Amino acid sequence: MKQITKVRKTVCAMANQLRKAGYSLKDAFKKAWQRVKLSMTVRAAGVSFENRQERLAFLQQFKPEDLTVTLEREKENKFDGNAIQIVVHIKPISRRTIIGYIPKGLARELSKVLDMGIQVKATLMQIIGGYGWKESLGALINITV
């Protein structure tokens, strides 16, 4: 019973934000239910700032099972009040590092869900890019509500 209430609250919070973004009520709920039922894969934003390229390069040496990901709200972010940091925890060396942010559009919805205390799971699917001498690295994150 508790799980159903949590899911409904999550859907309502996301649909409310989608409605504010211009979706019709029907489409907002439809999209919110899709996001809750299915997992979402997003590309981390802000990966080229504050030596995050070096952090991503460093993370490439670890196995996926050595890394866990948490999403943490950053309410005091001066650029976006809905900012959600992507934090990677490196188990073998007991360290954590910020590799980027959830993209702004999705963060607007997910921040409300996180603020309600609802658990959101995230995993680092892969580190992408870095093919040429000038190509930057990025990260694909899978999110499940």
Side-chain angles (χ1 to χ4, degrees):
M1 180 63 186
K2 190 176 179 186
Q3 179 68 23
I4 292 170
T5 306
K6 184 180 99 170
V7 169
R8 284 186 182 147
K9 279 184 180 177
T10 302
V11 169
C12 288
M14 292 178 100
N16 192 24
Q17 290 305 308
L18 287 166
R19 183 84 175 97
K20 288 178 184 173
Y23 283 81
S24 71
L25 189 61
K26 177 185 168 192
D27 289 341
F29 270 97
K30 190 174 178 182
K31 189 164 185 74
W33 273 112
Q34 284 174 341
R35 286 192 169 168
V36 169
K37 283 182 186 175
L38 310 169
S39 64
M40 301 167 265
T41 301
V42 297
R43 191 177 190 150
V47 293
S48 60
F49 298 98
E50 298 174 354
N51 79 344
R52 292 187 193 128
Q53 287 296 300
E54 290 83 359
R55 295 175 194 181
L56 287 169
F58 178 71
L59 289 175
Q60 286 180 314
Q61 69 184 309
F62 295 97
K63 292 182 236 142
E65 57 270 15
D66 290 337
L67 305 172
T68 57
V69 178
T70 56
L71 302 178
E72 298 177 9
R73 285 281 279 123
E74 189 183 32
K75 293 179 183 175
E76 64 282 347
N77 186 305
K78 61 184 175 187
F79 301 107
D80 182 9
N82 296 317
I84 302 171
Q85 295 177 330
I86 301 169
V87 181
V88 175
H89 302 266
I90 311 162
K91 292 180 212 169
I93 60 171
S94 300
R95 288 284 221 240
R96 54 180 256 149
T97 186
I98 298 163
I99 61 164
Y101 289 85
I102 296 298
K104 200 170 192 167
L106 180 59
R108 188 181 322 114
E109 302 162 42
L110 265 186
S111 63
K112 304 302 179 244
V113 173
L114 288 171
D115 291 347
M116 290 167 59
I118 294 171
Q119 203 55 27
V120 177
K121 292 185 182 101
T123 52
L124 177 63
M125 294 191 56
Q126 72 180 92
I127 294 171
I128 56 174
Y131 305 116
W133 65 277
K134 207 167 179 165
E135 175 102 14
S136 62
L137 295 168
L140 291 179
I141 307 296
N142 190 314
I143 301 168
T144 310
V145 181

